[in-house]
Amino acid sequence: DAGVTQSPTHLIKTRGQQVTLRCSPKSGHDTVSWYQQALGQGPQFIFQYYEEEERQRGNFPDRFSGHQFPNYSSELNVNALLLGDSALYLCASSPISGADTQYFGPGTRLTVL
Amino acid sequence: DQQVKQNSPSLSVQEGRISILNCDYTNSMFDYFLWYKKYPAEGPTFLISISSIKDKNEDGRFTVFLNKSAKHLSLHIVPSQPGDSAVYFCAATETDSWGKLQFGAGTQVVVTP
C-alpha cells in the first residue's frame, strides 16, 4: 500500500515563473491538504481539498491555487514566483473523518532564484 | 501570528534517559493536539495525539501531557533511543477544522550514546 507520493522531488525556478506540484494521496484517503515549510519553521497550512473543492484556506495569497481530481490526487500551482516562495511543500492526506490520521508525503523542495 | 510555540529549538539527551519536549499555544479554541516526528528528506510522521478532554495519553515509550489552564503540552519519550534523533513538531487544531493543523517551529532532538 503506497503512502502519499509527491512529484517532483526537487525543482528550481526563477522569479516570475509558474510552478505545478503534484500529490497522490494514500489509498482510501479523499482529503488532501497542502503545507509550506520554510527553513527552520514548522509547516504552514495553505489549503485543503475535498470532493474536488477547496474546503479551507490558510493565509496565503491568490498566487497559490490548487486542484483536486476525481481520483483524489491534487495539484498545487504557484504563479509569479517570489524568492520567498522557496520552501519545502508538503502534501498530506486523510480520510474526511479525522485530522489525527493525516499522512504526509516526503515533500517537494522548491528553490526560486 | 504564531499560535503554537516550541521555545526550545534543540535538545540533547543521553540514550536511555527521558526526553521532554514542550509546546505552548495561545488559541483557546484548539481542542486537539498532535506530535509529529520528522527525519531529513522525509515527511512528518504522526506520533501521538491528545484531545482536550484528556490530560494524558500514552503510547509505548511516548506520553503526551496536556495542561489546558496553562495552554501547555509536553511530550515525554522514555527511554530515549538513538533512532529518536529527529525534529519533533507540535501541532494543534480545532475540531471543526480537521486538516488545518497549526504547527510549532520544531525541536531538534539528538540522542547520544
Side-chain angles (χ1 to χ4, degrees):
Chain A
D1 178 23
V4 179
T5 59
Q6 293 186 243
S7 63
T9 305
H10 296 89
L11 205 50
I12 298 176
K13 292 285 188 180
T14 56
R15 281 177 295 176
Q17 285 189 311
Q18 179 264 345
V19 68
T20 297
L21 310 181
R22 295 176 176 82
C23 170
S24 291
K26 183 177 170 63
S27 178
H29 288 183
D30 54 11
T31 302
V32 173
S33 300
W34 286 92
Y35 292 81
Q36 180 196 67
Q37 185 181 10
L39 201 60
Q41 298 181 21
Q44 299 290 317
F45 177 81
I46 302 175
F47 42 53
Q48 182 189 81
Y49 276 84
Y50 171 67
E51 291 188 340
E52 302 179 49
E53 290 191 0
E54 185 181 290
R55 198 167 79 112
Q56 292 194 70
R57 189 178 183 91
N59 190 24
F60 279 80
D62 292 343
R63 298 186 297 109
F64 290 77
S65 63
H67 188 79
Q68 185 179 36
F69 299 93
N71 66 353
Y72 308 123
S73 67
S74 177
E75 288 182 349
L76 164 65
N77 301 292
V78 187
N79 294 321
L81 284 167
L82 304 173
L83 296 179
D85 295 331
S86 295
L88 180 68
Y89 288 85
L90 294 162
C91 170
S93 75
S94 60
I96 193 62
S97 58
D100 61 337
T101 49
Q102 277 199 55
Y103 290 81
F104 282 82
T108 293
R109 173 70 63 186
L110 172 65
T111 301
V112 182
L113 302 177
Chain B
D1 178 21
Q2 192 74 8
Q3 299 185 54
V4 178
K5 298 179 182 178
Q6 294 176 257
N7 293 319
S8 298
S10 63
L11 173 69
S12 182
V13 63
Q14 273 191 317
E15 183 178 0
R17 298 288 187 107
I18 183 172
S19 295
I20 300 176
L21 291 79
N22 294 302
C23 177
D24 297 294
Y25 62 96
T26 57
N27 188 343
S28 58
M29 297 299 293
F30 288 149
D31 56 7
Y32 200 84
F33 306 89
L34 309 91
W35 286 93
Y36 281 84
K37 173 181 179 179
K38 187 178 185 302
Y39 293 118
E42 294 184 15
T45 302
F46 169 73
L47 266 180
I48 191 169
S49 62
I50 187 167
S51 165
S52 61
I53 63 173
K54 295 184 176 181
D55 54 18
K56 177 183 175 181
N57 190 26
E58 193 170 356
D59 184 1
R61 297 186 297 115
F62 302 92
T63 302
V64 57
F65 296 91
L66 175 62
N67 182 334
K68 290 188 293 293
S69 60
K71 294 190 178 66
H72 176 84
L73 63 156
S74 61
L75 174 68
H76 293 207
I77 306 173
V78 183
S80 299
Q81 299 174 353
D84 295 331
S85 296
V87 178
Y88 289 77
F89 291 101
C90 170
T93 189
E94 302 175 39
T95 303
D96 291 334
S97 60
W98 293 115
K100 187 175 181 179
L101 299 177
Q102 303 262 21
F103 283 85
T107 296
Q108 172 76 60
V109 172
V110 176
V111 180
T112 57

